[in-house]
């Protein structure tokens, strides 16, 4: 049969933001895992949609592993960047990591698409996706296609159209 087009996706963002939970929800239901633990280093997830074959690099967001991210930038064709919308204290750290990413030589001059998830919208302390996009200064990203979705990765993955 026809070979599906392969896409390499990088999933980035601080620890505890919900990256692994979101990736898990994007998988077909029979491939989803029930309990999710903090990622050590990174994990490679492969799954297919109707037309594409995805390889997702689900990176750990813990400080001690963030230096691993850049080794995968070259082969990444799309980025998912997840933010814990309820973690106001660390929003500035998320912005620093995003700025470092955007200024990296393997990312800076490429029109690589970025999908932001303003995650944990179900929590009382969560700020809106508009506020997240202001706090991260997303309007300054002019040379890459990007989009931000509000999500609650536990009860509803948000952005159902991701799966199509
Ligand atoms: P690292 O692998 O350490 O970088 O973390 P991660 O970004 O992969 O986060 P993970 O998916 O492991 O989720 C961290 C915690 O947040 C888990 O307890 C999840 O159940 C919880 N969580 C994820 N998404 C949501 C959400 O939308 N709402 C709420 N309330 N909790 C969430
Ligand atoms: Mg994880």
């Amino acid at each position: 049969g026809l070979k599906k087009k392969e896409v390499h996706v990088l999933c980035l963002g601080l620890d505890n933001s919900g990256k692994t939970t979101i990736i898990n929800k994007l998988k077909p239901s029979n491939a989803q895992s029930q309990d999710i633990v903090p990622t050590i280093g990174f994990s490679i997830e492969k799954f297919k949609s109707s037309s594409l074959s995805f390889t997702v690099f689900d990176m750990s967001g813990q400080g001690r592993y963030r230096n691993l991210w850049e080794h995968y930038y070259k082969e990444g064709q799309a980025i998912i960047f997840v933010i814990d919308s309820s973690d106001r204290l660390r929003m500035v750290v998320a912005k620093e990591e995003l700025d470092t990413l955007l200024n990296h030589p393997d990312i800076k001059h490429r029109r690589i698409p970025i999908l932001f998830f303003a995650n944990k919208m179900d929590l009382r302390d969560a700020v809106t996706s508009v506020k997240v996009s202001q706090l991260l200064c997303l309007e300054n990203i002019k040379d890459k296609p990007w989009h931000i979705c509000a999500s609650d990765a536990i009860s509803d993955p948000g952005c159902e159209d991701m799966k199509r």
Side-chain angles (χ1 to χ4, degrees):
L2 276 175
K3 200 158 182 286
K4 293 182 191 235
K5 188 174 188 285
E6 282 188 34
V7 188
H8 285 188
V9 180
L10 309 176
C11 190
L12 308 172
L14 300 187
D15 50 296
N16 199 49
S17 56
K19 298 178 293 297
T20 304
T21 310
I22 289 175
I23 300 303
N24 191 49
K25 284 288 170 76
L26 295 173
K27 289 184 191 173
S29 39
N30 62 354
Q32 289 180 10
S33 42
Q34 293 313 313
D35 52 354
I36 285 169
V37 294
T39 308
I40 305 295
F42 65 95
S43 129
I44 297 177
E45 303 292 332
K46 289 177 190 263
F47 52 91
K48 291 183 166 73
S49 75
S50 48
S51 55
L52 298 172
S53 172
F54 289 102
T55 300
V56 182
F57 294 83
D58 176 16
M59 306 304 294
S60 167
Q62 286 180 56
R64 73 187 110 154
Y65 296 121
R66 279 178 218 153
N67 60 341
L68 296 177
W69 295 4
E70 63 176 345
H71 298 290
Y72 300 89
Y73 289 171
K74 267 208 182 83
E75 54 183 311
Q77 294 166 292
I79 295 172
I80 293 176
F81 195 96
V82 183
I83 301 108
D84 177 346
S85 313
S86 73
D87 191 356
R88 280 301 297 266
L89 275 179
R90 292 205 303 162
M91 202 66 78
V92 56
V93 184
K95 182 182 188 304
E96 275 170 19
E97 292 297 350
L98 174 63
D99 290 345
T100 304
L101 164 72
L102 294 172
N103 284 311
H104 191 280
D106 294 342
I107 298 290
K108 196 177 166 86
H109 302 293
R110 293 169 57 204
R111 279 189 59 83
I112 183 168
I114 311 180
L115 177 58
F116 294 92
F117 280 96
N119 195 35
K120 303 203 183 181
M121 277 302 159
D122 55 301
L123 296 182
R124 203 175 40 114
D125 290 339
V127 297
T128 64
S129 58
V130 171
K131 187 72 186 168
V132 170
S133 115
Q134 284 167 353
L135 290 167
L136 299 186
C137 302
L138 299 189
E139 73 280 9
N140 291 345
I141 308 176
K142 306 227 192 275
D143 56 347
K144 293 172 180 49
W146 62 269
H147 181 69
I148 185 162
C149 303
S151 63
D152 164 4
I154 290 185
S155 46
D156 163 40
C159 279
E160 270 296 311
D161 45 77
M162 272 282 295
K163 288 196 185 178
R164 285 185 218 124

